Every structure is written in structure tokens, then in C-alpha cells.
Amino acid sequence: MTTDSPAHISDATDVGAVPAGAGQPMLPPKAAGRSSKALSKVAGPLIGLAVFVGIWYFMHYWVLENVFDKPSFLITEPHRVIKDSFFDSVPREQMLTGLGWTTMIALIGLGISIVLGMTIAVLMAQSTLLEGAFWPYLIAAQAVPILAIVPILGSIFGFGYGSRVLVCVIISIFPIVSNTLFGLLSAEKGMHDLFTLHHASRTTRLFKLQFPAALPAIFAGFRIAAGLSVIGAVVGELFFRRGSKGIGILMDQYRSRNLYPLTYGALILSSLLGIAVFVFFGWLSKIAIGKWHETSRTGT
């Protein structure tokens, strides 16, 4: 007959003991991580907005006069911009109408850039000869300052809507081509060997291997091109002033009449348009690839 030693009794007691804090609810690590990530997505933009508005007020009330020796009205305080631009019905209606025309031009230009850019990228991915033929001219088109060629485009194609759309296409097509080409050429070599082993056609390889692998890069290109297309629409309106007044034409008219609150109001609307199309393509990319593609970000 054996008796338990004090050590054995102590071990048994430790095993059966309830750890401290066991009665308190604890979030699973994944749930805690998701809540922290959601909080950072809300808090981050709010903190950035607060800092931006603070710098804006600081520039108006102190920096312009004391550092640059300029009148403070050149940078209108934010609350006056909001009041004059969006609470007064006349400029608000003008800006919203202008924003509608600018949005239409930007989206048409972006749509043409997507179709044309992806077509060029697919052709370049299928042939090194075509890649060498297209690539230098795409780089040249991206490197040429758009403001330098806008007057030439107006002289050739006129100063209407077509020239505005053309400016959008020139500015926004390069990221679509480069990102799509990069994605198409990024499929794993082992998967290419598997498709070759099964005697897959070039079309099957393109649509069942290369395009799925390229989707993250393609949507990244769309997001970049969306913002650039808005810039192209505004730039085109600053030079091609015929036709309906877009937000760029209104911005230039307000500036020429020293209506700085309205100028900043139009600038805010054009910025919000760029953010909106960027967020839209981010949402679209999550729908298309979010279920199987995850970023490699770790931590906060």
C-alpha cells in the first residue's frame, strides 16, 4: 500500500485549481484582431483629418502673414469655405452640376483606359516582340508633362469633350497597362508547367491561370488610374473651356475673380470625387478577390 507524498498532493491540487481570471470573458485572438483593425480604419482617417484641418487653420491665422508675408485670405479658413460653398444654394448648385460633368468625363476616360490598357497588356504578355514595340512609347507618354501637350491636343482635336476624355486616357492608361502586365507575368512557373503538361491552349492558360493570378495587381492599377482620371478631367477642363462647365472650369473662374472660399470648395469636391472612385475600386477588388487573396500585413 502506497501513500501519496506531499508533492503528489500538491500537483493534484495545482491541476484542479481554477486559474486566475478564468471567469472573465476573453475575445478570441482573431476577433480581437478584427476589432482592432476596424477601429484603426475609423480612427486613422479621423486623426488625419483633424491634423489636416489644424494645419489649415494654422496656415491661415499665422503662417501666411508671419512666415511668407502674404495676406491670410489666400488660404481661407475651413469653416468659411464650407459655409460659402455648400450652405449657399447658388454656388452649391453650380458645383454639384459641374461635379456631375467632371464625373462623366472622368468615368468615360477611365473606361476607355481600362479596355485599351488591358488589351495592350494582354498583347504584350503574349509576345516579347509586342512588349518591346509598345513599352517605350507607353513610358514616353507617361513621362511627357501633360500640361505641355494639352494646347497641342486642343489645336488638333478641338476644345470640347473629346479632348477632355483624351487627356484622361493619356494620364490614366499607364498604371493599368503596367500593373496588368506585371500580374499576367507573375503566375507561378510550376503552374505553367502543369498547364503545358495538359497541353492547354494559349487562351485557356490566359483565362484560367494568368488572369486569376493577375487580379490583385489589376485592381491595384484600377485604383491608381481612377484617381489619375479625375486629375485628367480637371486638367482638361482648365484648358478646354468649351461645353458645359465642369468643376475645373468653375474652379478657374472662382480663382480669377478672387473668390477663394469657392475655389477651395470646388477643390474639395474634386478631391472627394477622386477618393470616391478610389474607394469604389477598392470595394470592387474585395468582392472579386477578397475571398481568396489576403495581404501580408502583420501587426497594427
Side-chain angles (χ1 to χ4, degrees):
M1 179 178 178
T2 61
T3 58
D4 292 333
S5 63
H8 291 132
I9 296 174
S10 176
D11 291 340
T13 305
D14 291 339
V15 170
V18 178
Q24 300 176 359
M26 297 180 63
L27 289 175
K30 290 185 177 180
R34 286 195 296 266
S35 61
S36 176
K37 186 176 180 180
L39 180 62
S40 65
K41 285 185 176 181
V42 175
L46 290 178
I47 293 173
L49 178 63
V51 172
F52 175 74
V53 173
I55 294 175
W56 190 344
Y57 275 112
F58 184 58
M59 292 289 294
H60 172 79
Y61 285 111
W62 192 82
V63 173
L64 276 182
E65 294 183 349
N66 294 278
V67 177
F68 298 106
D69 195 23
K70 300 292 183 181
S72 60
F73 69 82
L74 292 176
I75 299 181
T76 310
E77 57 267 51
H79 66 270
R80 187 182 170 193
V81 171
I82 300 299
K83 176 180 177 296
D84 292 356
S85 300
F86 306 120
F87 285 88
D88 191 339
S89 60
V90 175
R92 183 179 65 236
E93 291 179 4
Q94 290 178 344
M95 290 186 191
L96 291 178
T97 302
L99 183 66
W101 287 108
T102 302
T103 302
M104 183 188 70
I105 296 297
L107 292 181
I108 292 175
L110 180 61
I112 295 174
S113 295
I114 289 175
V115 174
L116 185 60
M118 291 189 68
T119 301
I120 294 174
V122 169
L123 294 175
M124 292 171 66
Q126 302 304 310
S127 170
T128 54
L129 176 63
L130 292 177
E131 182 179 357
F134 281 115
W135 200 241
Y137 299 101
L138 289 168
I139 296 176
Q142 178 70 12
V144 171
I146 191 64
L147 295 179
I149 63 173
V150 162
I152 300 175
L153 296 176
S155 300
I156 297 174
F157 300 103
F159 296 88
Y161 297 115
S163 296
R164 299 186 196 179
V165 172
L166 182 59
V167 172
C168 295
V169 174
I170 293 174
I171 290 182
S172 63
I173 193 172
F174 183 79
I176 294 176
V177 176
S178 60
N179 282 47
T180 303
L181 179 63
F182 171 79
L184 292 174
L185 299 180
S186 296
E188 295 181 5
K189 186 178 184 301
M191 296 300 297
H192 275 291
D193 294 338
L194 180 62
F195 272 67
T196 301
L197 182 65
H198 287 81
H199 305 287
S201 65
R202 186 184 294 266
T203 303
T204 302
R205 188 188 302 266
L206 175 64
F207 286 101
K208 293 191 175 182
L209 173 60
Q210 291 178 285
F211 260 124
L215 282 178
I218 289 174
F219 277 102
F222 287 172
R223 297 175 76 178
I224 298 171
L228 293 177
S229 182
V230 174
I231 295 174
V234 174
V235 170
E237 289 169 353
L238 291 173
F239 283 87
F240 309 135
R241 303 178 183 179
R242 297 179 186 175
S244 300
K245 295 180 180 179
I247 200 71
I249 297 176
L250 291 174
M251 194 185 308
D252 187 60
Q253 290 179 348
Y254 295 148
R255 180 198 55 79
S256 64
R257 290 184 284 172
N258 293 329
L259 298 174
Y260 289 99
L262 301 184
T263 304
Y264 284 107
L267 183 61
I268 289 174
L269 278 183
S270 64
S271 300
L272 290 177
L273 175 60
I275 294 172
V277 291
F278 184 88
V279 171
F280 170 76
F281 279 102
W283 170 78
L284 197 62
S285 68
K286 287 184 179 180
I287 292 179
I289 63 177
K291 294 182 179 180
W292 59 268
H293 177 76
E294 294 184 358
T295 60
S296 58
R297 180 188 296 273
T298 57
T300 56

